[in-house]
Amino acid sequence: MNSNKFFRCLIPGIIILLFYMGCPASAESGKSFDEWKEILAIGDDIDPLVGAELKLTVNPSRYYQITGDEIVLNGSLTGVFGPFQDTPIIIEEWNKTGSRTEHEVITDNYGYFYLNTILEEDGLHQFQANLTSSSEILKEPLKSEKLEIVSNPCPDGFCLFTDDVSKNTSDFEQVISGEPDNTTGSVSLSVFPSFFYPGEPVLLSGKVLDGTDIPVPYSRVLLHLNSAGDDISTEGVIEGFTSRSGLVTFNLSVPGPYPISCVLEYSGNNKGSSLWSNYVTLTPTISGINPPVKTISDEEGLELSIKDTTIPSLQNMTLYGWYKNNDESDRKLQVLELVWYNFGGKFWDNYQNSSDILTNQNGKFECQIPAPETTGMYLLSVRKPGNTTRSPLYSDVQVITVISSESAEEAVYSEEFPVLHITSDQSYIYENETLNLSLRFYYPDNTPVPGTPLNLLFSNNGIDWTPLPVDNVMTGPDGTAPILLNPDRAGYWYFRAIAEDDSLNLISSETLVIPVLPFSGT
């Protein structure tokens, strides 16, 4: 075989082999791409960006920033063979009007780059890093994720935007034209509370009467919402139906930091024109959660985070996250649902006594709601409802562990009972792969509990538990015990360990959930 052809076939194989061996020739080796190119005699026809990754982060990592403050844009460019040195990177910045600015940076010897910049303008800022067209190594475009933040002149980057209420109602006046004809009926709207704590439910109540003050039952109405702040004005519409008594209610978990004006429309009268209610305004008392920097996606999506994943029974949980629209120019207020997995029926069901969740114009949502009363493990998600033409959209799944209030008090105040902890260094595995579990038995002051037999329990739904036949699980001198398992079917595997202390008190670990994926071997 011709030697040039041989090396052309060999080099891609080496690249793939190194990649799947954990990239031993990566940044940790200290060698750059040019050095590996010389060592392995890589030809110019080999694309060095195979397996390369361009990262960008914003620091401080929070979505709402303060105008005039300095932020740091930093990132890295690394490939299979290590960092790319002395490589020009363009960081693009877009402001609220869509105006674009370019900043050029050069990677250092470790493939890192940095840019300090001042947030000079209020409103939206978006950033994305990409390789420049003048780069000698560029053979196809390589870009980082696009990141978004908002800046305003208020302390901590938070404004309550009470001055924008007039902007909300003036926007409505462009929608509502003409004088209301009270001879055909009337519509009223009230809110409690009008000054709300972000994430807590707000109740909007409406009533529709005909021209003779008789309630209009079982009729469609529309709740129009408008929110202005950070020079973004956003609308939303929620559909509702009146009851037999002509009443309609909307129970919403409303996020900060922007006020929202609302008006109710009834278009079912015979005169051809809609009836409109009075305006009401929802004003946050504080700004609410300041989430991390938002990642802009090309696809519609939902991201869910939970502030504390282990929570006492019936205590408030705080959930927050992002709705991401694939069309950045279409920023409408969205209505979402909190759902939990029904293991008995094996479907996603609306969370108990939960309100609808409203997003703001940036796509942020936040919700405060009591945890379940029964202790155990629960799977939560946020859903954007579907319709006849669109399937429901679900967020990622978050796992919460509900403990009894008594257990929470013992965990805080008791120093006499040991703690049993179960962990794994694997976030998921495939069928029949080896799963590494680690148990640790210790007192709150970190004193290990050696020589203690442990029992491992398994469940396929987090509710019904059975012992696993694992032999001779005993803590060692350091209070730990490793366990190796080979789950043989796909699905969620739930694990929990139990032990007895010297006083024969039964000690239970938290619940560990490991997704086991179907094996798709070739």
Side-chain angles (χ1 to χ4, degrees):
M1 179 185 291
N2 182 283
S3 60
N4 290 335
K5 291 183 178 179
F6 173 78
F7 279 103
R8 286 184 180 181
C9 295
L10 177 63
I11 296 303
I14 294 175
I15 293 176
I16 295 172
L17 178 63
L18 288 172
F19 184 77
Y20 284 101
M21 288 176 63
C23 303
S26 64
E28 286 78 3
S29 67
K31 291 183 171 60
S32 68
F33 170 75
D34 289 335
E35 291 172 311
W36 280 112
K37 182 177 179 181
E38 182 177 350
I39 293 171
L40 297 176
I42 299 174
D44 292 333
D45 57 338
I46 301 300
D47 188 350
L49 293 179
V50 172
E53 184 176 25
L54 181 58
K55 293 182 178 180
L56 181 67
T57 60
V58 176
N59 289 293
S61 180
R62 60 173 183 258
Y63 184 73
Y64 296 101
Q65 307 270 0
I66 305 175
T67 303
D69 275 7
E70 181 179 67
I71 62 170
V72 180
L73 303 172
N74 59 283
S76 62
L77 176 61
T78 56
V80 173
F81 294 99
F84 289 93
Q85 301 176 350
D86 302 321
T87 303
I89 302 292
I90 290 294
I91 299 179
E92 297 175 282
E93 177 181 357
W94 294 266
N95 64 10
K96 61 188 177 185
T97 64
S99 177
R100 177 175 168 272
T101 304
E102 291 188 354
H103 309 273
E104 183 174 271
V105 293
I106 305 295
T107 60
D108 62 17
N109 291 339
Y110 301 97
Y112 295 112
F113 56 88
Y114 309 87
L115 175 69
N116 291 47
T117 184
I118 302 295
L119 297 172
E120 297 179 349
E121 300 179 12
D122 297 339
L124 285 174
H125 299 264
Q126 294 181 345
F127 305 94
Q128 187 173 41
N130 61 76
L131 289 181
T132 68
S133 59
S134 61
S135 172
E136 296 179 358
I137 67 171
L138 181 63
K139 296 198 175 181
E140 61 181 50
L142 181 64
K143 295 187 176 184
S144 71
E145 294 179 317
K146 183 183 284 188
L147 307 178
E148 179 182 282
I149 61 174
V150 163
S151 67
N152 57 63
C154 305
D156 298 324
F158 277 127
C159 289
L160 293 182
F161 297 101
T162 51
D163 293 338
D164 289 302
V165 172
S166 59
K167 177 70 167 64
N168 290 349
T169 54
S170 65
D171 288 342
F172 274 143
E173 288 169 0
Q174 299 176 20
V175 178
I176 304 171
S177 59
E179 292 296 325
D181 183 3
N182 292 328
T183 63
T184 62
S186 63
V187 181
S188 60
L189 182 65
S190 61
V191 59
F192 180 82
S194 59
F195 289 87
F196 68 93
Y197 187 90
E200 290 187 346
V202 173
L203 180 63
L204 291 143
S205 301
K207 190 169 186 177
V208 181
L209 302 175
D210 66 13
T212 60
D213 289 338
I214 295 176
V216 179
Y218 313 122
S219 296
R220 178 176 178 264
V221 294
L222 296 177
L223 180 67
H224 295 263
L225 308 107
N226 196 80
S227 181
D230 285 324
D231 295 320
I232 306 171
S233 183
T234 314
E235 297 178 356
V237 178
I238 305 176
E239 183 182 60
F241 292 87
T242 59
S243 65
R244 182 179 179 180
S245 57
L247 297 174
V248 62
T249 59
F250 302 89
N251 198 18
L252 302 173
S253 292
V254 184
Y258 311 112
I260 298 175
S261 292
C262 311
V263 65
L264 193 62
E265 176 191 9
Y266 169 61
S267 59
N269 65 76
N270 297 324
K271 298 293 185 178
S273 60
S274 294
L275 293 175
W276 299 87
S277 74
N278 52 297
Y279 302 119
V280 299
T281 299
L282 314 178
T283 304
T285 55
I286 62 172
S287 299
I289 289 175
N290 193 350
V293 174
K294 181 180 178 181
T295 302
I296 301 298
S297 175
D298 293 332
E299 298 181 355
E300 185 182 28
L302 285 166
E303 288 184 6
L304 172 64
S305 298
I306 299 180
K307 202 167 185 180
D308 296 303
T309 55
T310 299
I311 187 165
S313 169
L314 296 179
Q315 288 200 13
N316 269 357
M317 303 183 292
T318 300
L319 302 90
Y320 63 96
W322 293 111
Y323 166 74
K324 299 181 179 181
N325 194 345
N326 52 359
D327 182 2
E328 294 180 32
S329 63
D330 185 22
R331 292 175 179 256
K332 292 183 178 178
L333 305 180
Q334 302 289 335
V335 177
L336 311 174
E337 300 170 338
L338 178 62
V339 294
W340 58 347
Y341 191 69
N342 184 317
F343 288 101
K346 296 187 177 180
F347 65 94
W348 287 98
D349 196 7
N350 285 82
Y351 187 79
Q352 57 185 7
N353 303 319
S354 63
S355 58
D356 288 331
I357 301 173
L358 189 67
T359 69
N360 68 11
Q361 51 261 54
N362 306 129
K364 185 189 86 164
F365 62 86
E366 53 190 308
C367 171
Q368 290 200 20
I369 194 165
E373 182 177 3
T374 305
T375 60
M377 170 143 321
Y378 297 87
L379 304 182
L380 298 180
S381 180
V382 167
R383 175 175 65 195
K384 180 185 177 185
N387 53 34
T388 56
T389 61
R390 185 189 69 242
S391 299
L393 176 68
Y394 287 85
S395 73
D396 49 322
V397 176
Q398 294 290 332
V399 182
I400 64 168
T401 301
V402 178
I403 60 177
S404 67
S405 299
E406 293 79 7
S407 298
E409 292 174 2
E410 288 177 3
V412 174
Y413 299 110
S414 175
E415 295 290 334
E416 59 179 299
F417 295 112
V419 178
L420 182 55
H421 196 42
I422 181 171
T423 58
S424 176
D425 58 1
Q426 297 157 281
S427 58
Y428 67 91
I429 63 168
Y430 290 94
E431 289 176 296
N432 296 311
E433 283 188 345
T434 300
L435 172 64
N436 303 309
L437 299 179
S438 177
L439 304 179
R440 182 174 175 235
F441 201 30
Y442 61 99
Y443 283 95
D445 63 358
N446 283 324
T447 301
V449 184
T452 302
L454 304 177
N455 294 306
L456 187 65
L457 304 180
F458 160 77
S459 174
N460 58 13
N461 58 17
I463 300 173
D464 304 310
W465 296 89
T466 57
L468 273 177
V470 182
D471 297 331
N472 300 322
V473 180
M474 184 85 67
T475 57
D478 58 354
T480 64
I483 297 178
L484 301 180
L485 299 172
N486 295 94
D488 56 1
R489 62 167 181 78
Y492 285 111
W493 285 60
Y494 298 78
F495 298 99
R496 186 161 60 94
I498 57 175
E500 289 184 349
D501 64 5
D502 293 338
S503 302
L504 301 183
N505 295 303
L506 189 64
I507 307 297
S508 174
S509 74
E510 73 274 50
T511 300
L512 176 68
V513 184
I514 299 293
V516 178
L517 307 181
F519 179 73
S520 56
T522 56

